[in-house]
Amino acid sequence: MIIATRLLGRTARLRWVHLVLGGAALMPYFLLGAVIVGAVTGGADVYTTLHLQLAAFACALPIAAVSALFPVARPLSVAAARALCGVDPAALADGPAGSRAARARTAGWFTLHIGLGGVISGMTLALPPFALTLIVLPFFAALRDSRLGLPAFDGWAVLLAPPLGLAGLLALNCCAAGAGALLARWAPRLLGPTPADRLAAAEQRAAELAVRNRLARELHDSVGHALSAVTLQASAARRVFDSDPAFVREALAAIEETTWRTVGELDSVLGLLRQGDDEAAGGAGPGLTGLDGLLSRTGVKVSYTAAGDLAAVPELVSREAYRIVQEGLSNALRHGGAAPVALRIAVDGEEVEIVMENPMPGTAQVVRPGGGRGLRGIAERAALLGGRAQAGPEDGRWRLAVRFPVVGRPGGAR
């Protein structure tokens, strides 16, 4: 049963198809080889002479190997091998062959494929009709008397024809299964990723992970800030609901505006996640010039001073700085309640400095106990920009100070 599966199972049949496709791919090269052999032999008929056919076949293989040196040959070979050879898809490389070694290995695979495919295709065309004729030979006297080039079967010898025909079909099946297994064994070695391919794939995965981590920080900062602001405003409105209706209306309007703005930012970030476009992701989000809108809806009194030209800060760095300010305000809202915040941003041409201070809260003032990823996220953003962040109590106040280069670190603010 195992032998039958290996010879006639689905994988064996697909590999046979793969070999026949290799034989079809060989034909243009074989025709060119036949022209070369015919020219060398003075116009001899290549297609009726076995040794000239073998010579044309031998000429075709080097020509095929040279044509497979083009980088695009590997994706085509890999696609066929994945679909028909029964090889683990992860064992084969993706993309065109970039290095010389990868192109040489692809040329070796292509030559092996069309060489074996040409032999198996020829056998597939020739053997089945011959074998079937032998199988039915004892039952048709006309076949024994015809001139089909069959061996002479006289008397009892005619009974040997059917077993010989069956043996021929079995031999063809074994040859096809063996050639298919050989190709499947060599596919990972010749079409597998080179060290350069593995390095490129690792760099691609690292880049994708970095983008996803950045987008996760975008979500954390944007949504976390909005929830903190909404919580504080709703809490304040609840306390004065009966005594100050005007303040309640103002708080509800601020909550509505904050939630709509956050929904827009959330939709933008989720769109980038679906799109998976690094370049688009790098240019998304507000910057330092959009801080006025953030501070007006933060839910706490903020004393803001700016020094230097904030518009001169590059877009990517400005966006990261905006998120740092947003996360700092979220932390102040979570742990400082309604305590006022002092924010100062200075751009001196080479560095951006962000300093945020608020009074140390008492236990009763904490809106949401415990910490989170806020300070860690700020530190990560600062490190990606090539800077540093410090946070902690100082003279009875909580102080957050972040400094980073105006141009950021190359590749950092992705």
Side-chain angles (χ1 to χ4, degrees), residues 305-367:
T305 58
D309 187 5
L310 302 187
V313 179
E315 181 181 358
L316 296 180
V317 179
S318 180
R319 175 180 50 78
E320 296 297 318
Y322 178 95
R323 293 305 185 191
I324 289 173
V325 173
Q326 187 179 53
E327 182 58 34
L329 291 173
S330 297
N331 286 339
L333 284 169
R334 290 188 189 103
H335 306 294
V341 176
L343 171 65
R344 182 173 63 86
I345 300 178
V347 179
D348 63 3
E350 295 183 357
E351 279 193 328
V352 178
E353 182 182 33
I354 300 173
V355 178
M356 189 177 301
E357 295 180 333
N358 59 282
M360 292 286 291
T363 305
Q365 292 176 286
V366 178
V367 175

Side-chain angles (χ1 to χ4, degrees), residues 5 52 66 84 113 119 196 231 241 262 270 272 285 301 323 384:
T5 301
L52 293 181
V66 172
L84 301 173
H113 179 205
V119 173
T231 300
F241 184 81
T262 305
L270 291 179
L272 294 175
K301 183 178 180 181
R323 293 305 185 191
L384 287 174

Side-chain angles (χ1 to χ4, degrees), residues 156-179:
W156 289 100
V158 75
L159 299 178
L160 297 176
L164 288 175
L166 292 174
L169 291 178
L170 180 62
L172 172 61
N173 206 308
C174 291
C175 289

Side-chain angles (χ1 to χ4, degrees), residues 234-284:
S235 176
R238 178 179 56 82
R239 288 195 296 268
V240 299
F241 184 81
D242 296 323
S243 60
D244 194 350
F247 178 83
V248 173
R249 285 193 295 270
E250 184 180 348
L252 291 176
I255 289 174
E256 181 182 12
E257 186 177 357
T258 300
T259 52
W260 276 115
R261 175 175 51 85
T262 305
V263 167
E265 292 184 4
L266 180 61
D267 183 68
S268 175
V269 174
L270 291 179
L272 294 175
L273 281 172
R274 289 190 296 267
Q275 186 181 32
D277 188 342
D278 291 5
E279 182 178 353

Side-chain angles (χ1 to χ4, degrees), residues 384-408:
L384 287 174
L385 294 171
R388 61 192 183 278
Q390 295 178 335
E394 182 176 312
D395 298 331
R397 298 174 64 83
W398 183 267
R399 187 175 190 271
L400 169 67
V402 184
R403 297 178 66 92
F404 47 85
V406 169
V407 296

Side-chain angles (χ1 to χ4, degrees), residues 6 11-12 15-16 18-19 81 84-87 108-109 111-113 115-117 119-120 174-191:
R6 290 182 177 179
T11 300
R15 289 174 178 175
W16 200 334
H18 187 240
L19 287 165
L84 301 173
C85 272
V87 182
W109 162 264
T111 305
L112 179 65
H113 179 205
L116 291 176
V119 173
I120 298 300
C174 291
C175 289
L182 180 63
L183 285 178
R185 181 178 180 181
W186 277 92
R189 302 182 185 182
L190 297 178
L191 295 179

Side-chain angles (χ1 to χ4, degrees), residues 4 18 40 60 78 90 102 110 132 152-153 160 165 178 199 267 286 333 350 361 414:
H18 187 240
V40 171
V78 166
F110 186 69
L132 291 176
F153 290 97
L160 297 176
L199 179 60
D267 183 68
L333 284 169
E350 295 183 357
R414 294 178 58 179

